[in-house]
Amino acid sequence: MSRYLSSRFASLEEYVPGEQPQDLHYIKLNTNESPYPPAPGVVKAVTQNEIDRLRLYSDPDCRALREALAAQYGVSSANIICGNGSDEMLSFLFIAFCDAQTGVSYPDISYGFYSVFADINRIAAQEVPLRGDLSICADDYCGLDRTIVIANPNALPGLCLSAADIERIVQSNPNNVVVIDEAYVDFGGESVVPLTKKYDNLLVVQTFSKSRSLAGGRLGYAIGSEGLIADLNKIRNS
């Protein structure tokens, strides 16, 4: 640490990513990378034409990807924002929906970046203990009057909340944003993307890095009401 670093950040505890061996002889379980290549259709799509386009700036609005995702999920492209992995989406939402008046709550055993985002933005964080069996108790998140972030399935325990439990949390916090991080939803649990059509305070974050075998592509996205997506775009474009 240099003497030039702002005192605001002197006490930060950084997120430490998994080790990245350079010889590529390993399947690294600690970063949950897929041992399988992307689907053949993905490989076919990466043509010489696409390589030629690397000299050009990409579309900052990711219109083609948003339209494809919108068709898949049955929502409008205005309900989707894309970014550099789901981590960027999470970073934006901590900035957009938390402040000195609105703190954040998340499980005490979960994705380690949540606490980093809270610390770097100086947000009052409430880490909610898991139950003895390492599951999340939905009742603990009802009526908190805070921004809520829950990984479902939860990392690290891998246990899921039901869609009904998540809906109950959303309903009981009508004045706050509830974020469901579905990085691992394809491995278990039920996506609550359909509930984003019903509740304007629900935001669902997903990634291409896990089940879709595209961790190196750094692609993530969030789905929510047009208002929430507009808020995130304001942060992203500022």
Side-chain angles (χ1 to χ4, degrees):
M1 182 187 304
S2 80
R3 61 189 177 90
Y4 303 106
L5 180 67
S6 169
S7 60
R8 292 178 297 162
F9 307 124
S11 62
L12 280 181
E13 293 187 16
E14 305 162 65
Y15 174 78
V16 180
E19 183 180 354
Q20 297 287 339
Q22 298 302 301
D23 56 15
L24 303 180
H25 290 167
Y26 306 92
I27 295 174
K28 298 195 290 84
L29 300 180
N30 64 322
T31 48
N32 297 320
E33 291 173 337
S34 173
Y36 307 108
V42 174
V43 176
K44 185 178 179 180
V46 184
T47 62
Q48 183 64 44
N49 180 58
E50 291 301 312
I51 294 173
D52 288 343
R53 289 170 57 87
L54 290 177
R55 63 189 174 82
L56 304 174
Y57 284 112
S58 58
D59 175 9
D61 293 323
C62 300
R63 279 170 287 191
L65 178 57
R66 287 169 49 232
E67 289 170 2
L69 289 169
Q72 177 177 339
Y73 289 108
V75 298
S76 165
S77 60
N79 297 119
I80 301 174
I81 180 175
C82 298
N84 296 322
S86 57
D87 285 344
E88 185 176 54
M89 298 295 95
L90 292 166
S91 176
F92 289 161
L93 69 88
F94 270 77
I95 296 170
F97 306 123
C98 305
D99 53 32
Q101 289 73 44
T102 303
V104 63
S105 295
Y106 47 79
D108 64 342
I109 300 176
S110 193
Y111 184 30
F113 238 137
Y114 299 156
S115 60
V116 175
F117 290 138
D119 286 347
I120 201 167
N121 291 296
R122 295 191 160 192
I123 298 164
Q126 177 190 43
E127 297 188 348
V128 181
L130 298 180
R131 292 190 285 201
D133 62 357
L134 299 183
S135 65
I136 293 172
C137 177
D139 290 340
D140 291 341
Y141 294 88
C142 290
L144 287 186
D145 196 29
R146 305 166 72 92
T147 297
I148 294 169
V149 182
I150 296 175
N152 196 53
N154 188 25
L156 307 164
L159 302 178
C160 304
L161 282 173
S162 68
D165 278 339
I166 292 172
E167 184 168 18
R168 188 154 52 87
I169 293 170
V170 174
Q171 288 175 331
S172 70
N173 293 280
N175 298 317
N176 297 92
V177 176
V178 176
V179 179
I180 304 299
D181 181 354
E182 294 187 342
Y184 297 98
V185 75
D186 293 331
F187 300 106
E190 179 183 358
S191 175
V192 292
V193 167
L195 292 180
T196 62
K197 302 175 186 178
K198 186 176 179 181
Y199 300 100
D200 64 4
N201 63 323
L202 174 61
L203 190 70
V204 177
V205 177
Q206 288 202 13
T207 180
F208 282 85
S209 295
K210 306 304 179 187
S211 64
R212 293 154 173 125
S213 298
L214 287 171
R218 304 313 302 129
L219 288 171
Y221 55 95
I223 301 177
S225 66
E226 288 191 26
L228 292 185
I229 299 304
D231 293 340
L232 293 175
N233 272 314
K234 181 181 286 290
I235 300 300
R236 183 178 67 125
N237 295 325
S238 299

